[in-house]
Amino acid sequence: MVLLSLALAGCGGDHSILDPAGPAARGVAWLWWGMLTAFTLVFLMVVGLWLAAFRRRGHPVRSAAQERRLGLGWILGGGILLPGVSILLLLAVGVPAGQRLLPLPGVEAPRVIEVIGHQWWWEVRYPHAEGEVVTANHLAMPAGEPVDFHVTGADVIHAFWVPRLGGKIDMLPGRVNRIRLEADEPGVFGAQCAEFCGAQHAHMQLHVEAMERDDFAAWLEARRRPPPQAEGHDTAREAFGEHCARCHRVEGLAEGTGGPDLSDIGSRATLGAGVLALEEGAIARWLAEHQTLKPGNRMPAHDHLDAETLEALGAWLETLRP
Ligand code: HEC
Ligand SMILES: [Cu+2]
């Protein structure tokens, strides 16, 4: 019982395929339950036959012709008919469930959100927004309508997977793959890179937030403008220009590439793709300890900067919110 409850504890939470929050995921979950039921029945039947074989005493006497017919029956029934019917059934349910994940023509083309996998963080782009809207490790989407995700990899193969919304899809460098997902209701969903992509693959989580359509429009609108700059913080801005701006973008201030966009970093839920919760002081802590918190990550250590500068940088970055 203890082992069972431990195992079942893995069935809940915001990464659970058994708790679907959209039509694509529901199709996959139903298929999963159906297969589990069918395979449990087959398992019990096999165990039953096996036990029955033990109980049987003596040998039945059959003629050679009877033996042959019995053998043929097993081959045709158990070897062709049973697998044939099982596979047809699986296809009949599985193919439509898979189709629902594909952006097939016919439906009015929904909104597109681009997701790019990096070692080891997520870049999210909103091409339909007027102006450039980019976020990192945080994906916002409207609820109650399908969204097409166009995914690719910047360096190695990653995979995009929001378990509660639907099946996963590979993110391949040099190719754009598409998947159509929909969230029934506003909510927050966990997402995780699902293709081993190097040492910090496990620390590559994405915070997915589905919102009412109007809230989503406002969310986008707020990010079309540079974040308001708080008074003071001049030393931090200067240090940022010197040490950080080549890799990080802050709208209206820096156009670096190679690292996450920090324009709305103060409004995020987590840092380092899920390594730290974003609370007061967390950014300064990340700056000082990120190579311990997420060893080998692609941001160089900044040991040559004194603690004061790192703290000033952290305090300023926390003010960056739309
Ligand atoms: C050589 C490029 C590079 C430089 C220089 C650099 N960073 Fe980074 N930074 C990165 C990368 C890559 C990541 C993503 C690491 C990860 O999560 O795997 C990152 C992550 C971050 C994060 C967390 C972002 C998030 O979305 O959670 C912050 C904050 C940050 N950097 C701030 C800074 C500051 C401040 C400086 C200057 C002192 C700096 N970085 C210098 C490449 C760089
Ligand atoms: Cu990965």
Side-chain angles (χ1 to χ4, degrees):
M1 281 310 270
V2 171
L3 284 179
L4 189 67
S5 52
L6 273 180
L8 290 179
C11 297
D14 68 354
H15 284 76
S16 174
I17 61 153
L18 298 182
D19 187 11
R26 232 175 343 264
V28 175
W30 275 112
L31 186 61
W32 189 88
W33 282 113
M35 285 170 71
L36 182 71
T37 313
F39 295 153
T40 307
L41 287 178
V42 169
F43 176 71
L44 292 178
M45 227 165 66
V46 171
V47 172
L49 286 174
W50 180 64
L51 288 177
F54 273 119
R55 287 169 165 258
R56 189 114 133 223
R57 287 179 201 275
H59 270 285
V61 189
R62 293 194 196 100
S63 70
Q66 274 173 326
E67 282 287 348
R68 210 164 331 123
R69 219 166 333 145
L70 198 67
L72 202 64
W74 276 110
I75 290 173
L76 288 180
I80 296 178
L81 197 67
L82 184 68
V85 170
S86 313
I87 288 172
L88 279 178
L89 258 174
L90 260 180
L91 284 177
V93 187
V95 170
Q99 295 285 92
R100 272 196 291 277
L101 297 172
L102 296 176
L104 297 173
V107 197
E108 190 192 340
R111 230 186 266 270
V112 170
I113 296 179
E114 297 170 357
V115 190
I116 302 145
H118 295 259
Q119 281 177 317
W120 289 279
W121 57 279
W122 306 84
E123 174 183 349
V124 186
R125 297 183 159 265
Y126 303 82
H128 48 83
E130 293 160 38
E132 197 178 7
V133 178
V134 188
T135 56
N137 301 326
H138 182 170
L139 187 159
M141 63 187 280
E145 63 183 86
V147 176
D148 277 0
F149 292 95
H150 290 190
V151 308
T152 188
D155 34 38
V156 299
I157 302 179
H158 303 270
F160 177 67
W161 189 30
V162 194
R164 293 195 59 206
L165 297 187
K168 50 190 131 176
I169 191 155
D170 276 352
M171 312 173 92
L172 309 171
R175 186 192 151 86
V176 176
N177 278 339
R178 287 140 214 257
I179 190 168
R180 179 169 293 169
L181 300 176
E182 178 175 341
D184 298 328
E185 311 249 326
V188 169
F189 310 108
Q192 165 72 43
C193 177
E195 181 69 58
F196 182 72
C197 57
Q200 289 301 333
H201 162 67
H203 288 144
M204 190 168 158
Q205 289 160 31
L206 175 65
H207 181 86
V208 176
E209 192 178 354
M211 323 175 174
E212 296 290 359
R213 188 190 286 241
D214 293 346
D215 295 343
F216 179 64
W219 185 93
L220 273 184
E221 179 61 29
R223 279 163 180 75
R224 280 177 46 201
R225 292 181 297 268
Q229 289 291 338
E231 292 283 317
H233 299 294
D234 289 341
T235 30
R237 266 191 291 267
E238 213 166 283
F240 188 84
E242 195 173 329
H243 304 288
C244 328
R246 71 189 161 97
C247 293
H248 290 290
R249 178 171 178 271
V250 170
E251 202 175 349
L253 205 76
E255 286 296 329
T257 54
D261 191 303
L262 301 178
S263 305
D264 72 345
I265 184 85
S267 70
R268 302 258 206 83
T270 68
L271 280 180
V275 167
L276 276 184
L278 186 79
E279 24 188 56
E280 213 182 311
I283 299 186
R285 172 152 181 237
W286 165 266
L287 294 180
E289 300 173 21
H290 65 90
Q291 282 300 343
T292 323
L293 293 165
K294 193 170 178 178
N297 84 74
R298 298 285 194 250
M299 169 155 139
H302 286 92
D303 299 337
H304 55 291
L305 296 184
D306 53 44
E308 235 165 83
T309 313
L310 295 183
E311 253 157 54
L313 276 165
W316 167 61
L317 287 170
E318 271 168 27
T319 67
L320 296 184
R321 50 182 80 207

